[in-house]
Amino acid sequence: MRLIILSAHERKMTKVLFNRDDDLVFTAAADNMVCVWDSETGERLGTYEGHTGAIFDCDVDYRTRFLLTGSGDSSVKLWEVSTGKTLQTFKTPVRISSVQWACGDKLFLATSPQFLQTQACVHIYKNPQSQQFEQDQDEKNEPIKSINIRNDADVSNFSVAKCVWS
């Protein structure tokens, strides 16, 4: 094993993620972009740019076809890994702290922290690129379910840091 230095981000990294095959490394950062790297050589293969806020989380699907990013600009973006093209943008009321694919590439979730009068929330979406779902254009950007999480203790910095499918 040898040390590889990845140098591209201008602000702190918020996530480092290997794909299932361990041949790609994705790094998200507060500089509003995700980079993808060859895990053997450390060569930067590309960047995913389009968010206007820090990217707090990212996740890649099982086959490394789709990348999700959650950002401080109150959006989730769905990317095509091979081209770097933004396929879809999902807007939310507040920033996104966590994203994750369900098994397969059909569903994903995104979590938001409490902010002012908006409760912490888990949003569940259908992947509009999945062949299983037929959706009209209006419902492609909307979650199929949003679960608000009450702050019963009335804690001012209440948040959902990470949500995980099980």
Side-chain angles (χ1 to χ4, degrees):
M1 183 167 80
R2 67 186 185 114
L3 178 66
I4 296 175
I5 298 174
L6 306 176
S7 179
H9 291 290
E10 296 178 5
R11 297 187 62 201
K12 74 173 185 163
M13 284 200 300
T14 55
K15 176 82 178 247
V16 176
L17 171 75
F18 281 86
N19 69 337
R20 183 179 65 91
D21 296 330
D22 288 337
D23 61 339
L24 300 176
V25 179
F26 295 85
T27 56
D31 60 5
N32 309 349
M33 71 176 180
V34 172
C35 294
V36 61
W37 310 83
D38 182 292
S39 65
E40 287 286 319
T41 65
E43 175 187 0
R44 183 169 54 167
L45 303 174
T47 58
Y48 301 86
E49 296 182 85
H51 280 291
T52 57
I55 298 173
F56 294 108
D57 200 14
C58 65
D59 195 25
V60 66
D61 76 316
Y62 185 78
R63 293 181 186 91
T64 314
R65 292 188 319 163
F66 303 118
L67 174 72
L68 291 171
T69 54
S71 173
D73 64 8
S74 302
S75 74
V76 175
K77 287 190 181 287
L78 173 65
W79 309 82
E80 186 174 45
V81 170
S82 62
T83 64
K85 178 182 172 191
T86 303
L87 300 173
Q88 194 89 27
T89 300
F90 305 86
K91 294 300 287 175
T92 59
V94 298
R95 76 176 176 90
I96 297 297
S97 56
S98 173
V99 292
Q100 188 179 41
W101 287 103
C103 281
D105 63 0
K106 294 169 183 55
L107 298 173
F108 65 89
L109 59 78
T111 59
S112 297
Q114 175 181 303
F115 182 72
L116 300 175
Q117 301 304 314
T118 305
Q119 290 182 334
C121 191
V122 176
H123 308 281
I124 301 172
Y125 295 90
K126 291 179 184 176
N127 178 359
Q129 301 297 313
S130 175
Q131 302 304 320
Q132 182 177 357
F133 299 120
E134 289 187 24
Q135 300 171 313
D136 63 36
Q137 194 62 33
D138 291 337
E139 67 180 11
K140 276 189 168 183
N141 289 334
E142 298 299 318
I144 59 173
K145 182 76 175 171
S146 290
I147 304 162
N148 289 326
I149 301 169
R150 289 180 41 135
N151 179 1
D152 291 335
D154 200 29
V155 178
S156 63
N157 63 349
F158 181 77
S159 182
V160 177
K162 183 74 175 168
C163 197
V164 178
W165 290 96
S166 65

